[in-house]
Amino acid sequence: MYLIAGLGNPGKQYEATRHNMGFDTVDCLVETHNVPQGGVKFNAMYGKGIIGGEKAILMKPLSYMNLSGGPIQEMSSYFKIDPETELIVIYDDIDLEPGQLRIRKKGSAGGHNGIKDIIRRLGTEKFIRIRVGVGAKPKDWDLADFVLGHFSDSDRKLVDEGIRDAAEAVELILSEGVDVAMNKYNRKKPKN
């Protein structure tokens, strides 16, 4: 069984913001695969279904981004998920162009506080992650204001495509393995 955790912040004021790429991707997976909601457990919304022929738990931690590690660690323990082989974390990345994906099997937090907390709580940097690009912060902007802000219409189109790609990448990881997904999605998208 896999645990697919989409990072974001709960609450109406955070919907469709740059920081909620993980939540948006989980919502896309729930809709595409008709995953029934299981309610709330360990301070996370979750549901169980079949994706890419594998049993999967989809979760959205409700702890706010910077404390994502607690719900993920508790859910992993409860469902006996091996984070190094059965966990996929989806989140936003300001170092990638809007809608661009980057899939990795392990790595540092790269300055992302949600990932820092997950690494700290799990005690490992080895877990699959899918980063969805939201574009670079303008020079004079505060980072928090930027990631909690909304997209321009043109970027929104790219990001919506990126969210669909991220959902498809999850399916590909579960059905054919992470290397196949990396080969397909870890390349620059052509500019339209």
Side-chain angles (χ1 to χ4, degrees):
M1 183 163 14
Y2 284 82
L3 177 60
I4 295 136
L7 303 191
N9 286 311
K12 279 258 182 260
Q13 70 271 37
Y14 299 112
E15 284 178 9
T17 61
R18 291 178 181 90
H19 230 14
N20 273 27
M21 294 298 95
F23 275 19
D24 292 348
T25 302
V26 165
D27 289 344
C28 181
L29 284 162
V30 164
E31 202 173 298
T32 306
H33 297 278
N34 297 314
V35 176
Q37 285 306 299
V40 175
K41 192 182 216 71
F42 307 118
N43 200 21
M45 289 175 61
Y46 81 103
K48 290 188 205 170
I50 303 290
I51 297 174
E54 296 284 342
K55 287 183 189 165
I57 301 162
L58 296 173
M59 76 176 285
K60 299 195 302 191
L62 301 175
S63 55
Y64 290 94
M65 179 67 79
N66 297 353
L67 298 172
S68 299
I72 289 173
Q73 187 266 321
E74 290 173 7
M75 195 80 75
S76 295
S77 290
Y78 183 81
F79 287 107
K80 297 177 176 46
I81 300 292
D82 177 358
E84 296 191 357
T85 58
E86 299 168 327
L87 171 65
I88 300 171
V89 179
I90 307 158
Y91 59 102
D92 60 290
D93 191 327
I94 61 168
D95 294 327
L96 294 172
E97 292 291 317
Q100 186 74 45
L101 298 190
R102 184 72 67 239
I103 303 168
R104 293 275 184 264
K105 297 179 192 178
K106 62 181 181 181
S108 71
H112 195 287
N113 290 328
I115 298 299
K116 260 184 216 161
D117 193 56
I118 295 168
I119 290 169
R120 184 178 68 77
R121 291 296 298 257
L122 294 179
T124 182
E125 292 185 346
K126 286 186 186 165
F127 54 87
I128 299 166
R129 68 267 323 256
I130 301 174
R131 299 177 351 229
V132 182
V134 297
K137 169 184 84 69
K139 202 170 103 163
D140 299 329
W141 280 46
D142 174 71
L143 181 59
D145 289 342
F146 179 70
V147 296
L148 296 177
H150 292 85
F151 294 97
S152 67
D153 289 346
S154 59
D155 281 357
R156 184 77 243 180
K157 283 190 184 100
L158 296 170
V159 166
D160 285 344
E161 195 178 301
I163 289 165
R164 286 190 297 274
D165 287 347
E168 288 171 13
V170 167
E171 195 173 335
L172 199 54
I173 290 168
L174 270 54
S175 62
E176 296 185 45
V178 69
D179 291 325
V180 175
M182 286 167 67
N183 286 337
K184 180 170 182 180
Y185 291 104
N186 284 359
R187 54 176 86 152
K188 274 227 179 287
K189 283 186 173 185
K191 296 240 189 265
N192 291 345

